[in-house]
């Protein structure tokens, strides 16, 4: 019998006061009973509108039906036909703007908690099953995947299922891309990422770390080594800055650097020797999910006060509502309609050897109001004359987006890129170089995990068709 409760089954979370100082995962996850209760809210629509909102086209009603039947492994099998990273997606994908935004239950109440159910199924599988997804017999064809982020891992998994011998080349010392260096432990435990990577290895995917394509090897050399196609999923790791005075002061980070030091280099661990600013007051400039991650990480590293500085209002804030609510619960203060104009630093004119010289002391800002819409339809922020003020802080983290790393395009002849540095691809993820495909942030710039996965899935299908056309 359907559960007609208009609201989702609540997700248990750690206490906000306690969690603001620890890196334990905030969302605890559904129990079996909670998952069953939420699954009963699904109406099993014949038209399946939710599937149209999923970039990797998971058969959502089918996996939810399996939950209702208490067939959790069957539910996982349905999901894994479309997704190589279900435990990751269940945690970090913006379901509220994708699959859940199409849910019929959302018309007169809250949509079915599809993401929460996906997470439950993946976690149950990881805790109870040792089975490896089935793959086709090896076909003798080698494919190279550049980057082990969500697009690369998805492409690799789909190709492995089809029987290809896939090698993933990762620049860093740990596989996972943005999943390990960018998303904090309290949102996505690294043991979850490692489990997903291990599943791919069990399917026969080879992952080589410390391999910088463009330096260690070039794309041309990959072809010389016998790879018949190359997928570039190298992400968007080049941080953007504002171009205001003071960005070179000590205590100014890009969000990428700050999160990499905290996550990948384990600065959050007691006794870690990773250099990072801890304590004091912190300003995070930006309003996206990465800004929320940086602000909440700074709090857990010991900051007494953390501010989000964003030039538009809460209505325009691009971060997920859940992440914003968690940040507010943890005590992070939002300085909205506020735009930085300069980062201030300490200078002792009488003693150039003063150890305080060159360190951040504050961020000068100006208040904003929303004017006419810009070319994307968002109301443009306009400065309010005479509203300059200073926020006293010790650390500034710039989180205003990233661009694709130029290394591969600079070392690969015939690879077309756009003005933003993104690799140009056609509707099948093919680049201007024959046999070279690309997807994810390397093409679009910084976007969501699930959109990158969708691009990796599209590219895997295109590579399969390309290889078949040559045989």
């Amino acid at each position: 019998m359907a559960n007609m409760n208009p609201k989702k089954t609540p997700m248990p979370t750690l206490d906000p006061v306690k969690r603001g100082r620890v890196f334990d995962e905030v969302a605890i996850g559904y129990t079996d009973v909670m998952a069953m209760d939420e699954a009963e809210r699904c109406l099993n629509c014949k038209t399946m509108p939710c599937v149209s909102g999923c970039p990797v086209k998971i058969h959502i009603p089918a996996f939810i039906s399996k939950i209702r039947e208490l067939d959790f492994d069957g539910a996982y099998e349905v999901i894994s036909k479309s997704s190589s990273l279900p435990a990751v997606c269940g945690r970090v994908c913006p379901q509220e703007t994708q699959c859940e935004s199409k849910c019929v239950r959302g018309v007169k109440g809250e949509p079915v908690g599809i993401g929460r159910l996906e997470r439950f199924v993946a976690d149950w599988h990881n805790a109870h099953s040792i089975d490896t997804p089935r793959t086709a017999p090896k076909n003798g064809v080698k494919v190279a995947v550049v980057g082990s982020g969500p697009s690369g891992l998805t492409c690799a998994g789909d190709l492995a299922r089809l029987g290809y011998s896939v090698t993933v080349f990762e620049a860093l010392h740990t596989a996972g891309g943005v999943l390990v260096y960018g998303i904090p432990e309290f949102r996505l435990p690294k043991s979850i990422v490692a489990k997903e990577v291990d599943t791919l290895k069990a399917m026969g995917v080879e992952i080589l770390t410390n391999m910088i394509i463009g330096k260690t090897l070039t794309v041309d050399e990959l072809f010389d080594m016998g790879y018949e196609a190359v997928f570039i999923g190298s992400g968007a790791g080049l941080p953007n800055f504002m171009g205001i005075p003071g960005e070179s002061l000590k205590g100014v980070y890009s969000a990428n650097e700050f999160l990499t030091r905290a996550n990948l280099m384990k600065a959050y661990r007691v006794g870690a020797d990773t250099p990072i600013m801890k304590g004091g007051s912190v300003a995070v400039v930006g309003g996206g999910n990465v800004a929320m991650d940086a602000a909440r990480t700074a709090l857990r590293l010991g900051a007494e006060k953390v501010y989000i500085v964003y030039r538009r209002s809460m209505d325009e804030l691009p971060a997920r509502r859940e992440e914003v609510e968690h940040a507010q619960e943890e005590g992070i203060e939002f300085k909205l309609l506020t735009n930085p104009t300069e980062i201030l630093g300490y200078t002792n004119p009488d003693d150039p050897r003063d150890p305080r010289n060159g360190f951040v002391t504050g961020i000068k800002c100006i208040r904003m109001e929303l004017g006419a819409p810009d070319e994307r339809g968002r109301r443009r922020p306009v400065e309010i004359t005479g509203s300059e003020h200073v926020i006293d802080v010790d650390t500034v983290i710039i989180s205003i987006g990233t661009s694709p790393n130029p290394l591969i395009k600079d070392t690969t002849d015939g690879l077309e890129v756009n003005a933003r540095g993104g690799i140009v691809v056609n509707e099948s993820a093919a680049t201007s170089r024959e046999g070279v495909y690309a997807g994810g942030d390397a093409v679009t710039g910084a976007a969501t995990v699930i959109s990158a996965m969708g691009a990796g899935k599209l590219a895997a299908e295109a590579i399969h068709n390309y290889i078949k056309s040559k045989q």
Side-chain angles (χ1 to χ4, degrees), residues 104-115:
V104 172
R105 290 300 304 268
V107 175
K108 294 184 178 180
E110 293 182 349
V112 174
I114 297 169

Side-chain angles (χ1 to χ4, degrees), residues 416-447:
E416 183 183 354
V417 297
N418 58 31
R420 295 176 288 103
I423 299 172
V424 175
V425 298
N426 64 16
E427 65 280 359
S428 298
T431 72
S432 51
R433 274 284 301 268
E434 183 181 353
V436 178
Y437 296 77
D441 292 0
V443 172
T444 62

Side-chain angles (χ1 to χ4, degrees), residues 40-326:
E40 292 290 349
R41 294 185 66 236
C42 177
L43 300 178
N44 199 18
C45 307
K46 291 183 179 180
T47 56
M48 301 183 297
C50 52
V51 177
S52 68
C54 176
V56 296
K57 298 296 182 266
I58 293 172
H59 197 309
I60 294 165
F63 97 75
I64 294 179
S65 291
K66 292 292 185 182
I67 295 175
R68 287 201 296 265
E69 296 166 8
L70 293 177
D71 183 5
F72 302 146
D73 255 337
Y76 181 84
E77 186 174 343
V78 172
I79 296 172
S80 62
K81 288 178 181 178
S82 302
S83 173
S84 298
L85 308 170
V88 170
C89 287
R91 285 169 165 81
V92 304
C93 288
Q95 291 94 3
E96 65 274 11
T97 60
Q98 295 176 334
C99 54
E100 293 183 13
S101 72
K102 309 291 186 182
C103 178
V104 172
R105 290 300 304 268
V107 175
K108 294 184 178 180
E110 293 182 349
V112 174
I114 297 169
R116 297 174 182 182
L117 291 174
E118 181 179 14
R119 168 186 166 154
F120 166 78
V121 168
D123 288 354
W124 191 94
H125 173 84
N126 288 341
H128 294 87
S129 178
I130 58 173
D131 293 339
T132 300
R134 291 186 292 272
T135 61
K138 291 297 182 186
N139 59 20
V141 178
K142 294 169 56 180
V143 177
V145 171
V146 179
S148 66
S151 64
L153 294 179
T154 298
C155 185
D158 281 12
L159 288 171
R161 287 187 182 88
L162 292 169
Y164 291 92
S165 297
V166 183
T167 304
V168 177
F169 296 87
E170 169 55 46
L172 298 175
H173 63 278
T174 302
V178 69
L179 304 176
V180 293
Y181 75 73
I183 302 177
E185 184 79 8
F186 56 82
R187 268 217 305 139
L188 179 62
K190 300 303 160 264
S191 59
I192 297 292
V193 181
K195 177 69 175 178
E196 304 282 37
V197 170
D198 286 344
T199 297
L200 292 179
K201 289 180 178 179
M203 293 166 60
V205 175
E206 181 181 23
I207 298 180
L208 302 179
T209 57
N210 300 307
M211 299 290 288
I212 305 175
I213 302 305
K215 282 191 175 292
T216 311
L217 293 169
T218 65
V219 170
D220 289 332
E221 287 172 327
L222 292 177
F223 282 112
D224 291 340
M225 293 166 62
Y227 293 98
E228 296 191 31
V230 175
F231 173 73
I232 300 173
S234 50
L238 185 65
N240 299 332
F241 286 89
M242 298 185 70
I244 61 176
E247 286 186 314
S248 61
L249 288 168
K250 301 169 187 175
V252 178
Y253 297 86
S254 71
N256 257 28
E257 178 190 0
F258 186 79
L259 290 170
T260 298
R261 287 175 183 269
N263 299 329
L264 185 65
M265 300 171 69
K266 309 302 182 186
Y268 67 89
R269 290 181 176 172
V270 176
D273 58 4
T274 303
I276 198 168
M277 297 286 284
K278 297 182 179 181
S281 296
V282 179
V284 179
V285 181
N289 290 324
V290 176
M292 300 304 124
D293 287 343
R296 297 171 69 197
T297 295
L299 185 70
R300 285 159 171 78
L301 288 174
E304 286 83 36
K305 191 67 180 177
V306 181
Y307 304 97
I308 290 286
V309 181
Y310 180 61
R311 64 182 187 150
R312 288 185 165 93
S313 74
M314 186 65 79
D315 289 339
E316 289 79 31
L317 201 76
R320 295 182 68 186
R321 291 298 100 185
E322 180 179 78
E323 303 308 321
V324 174
E325 290 167 4
H326 284 170

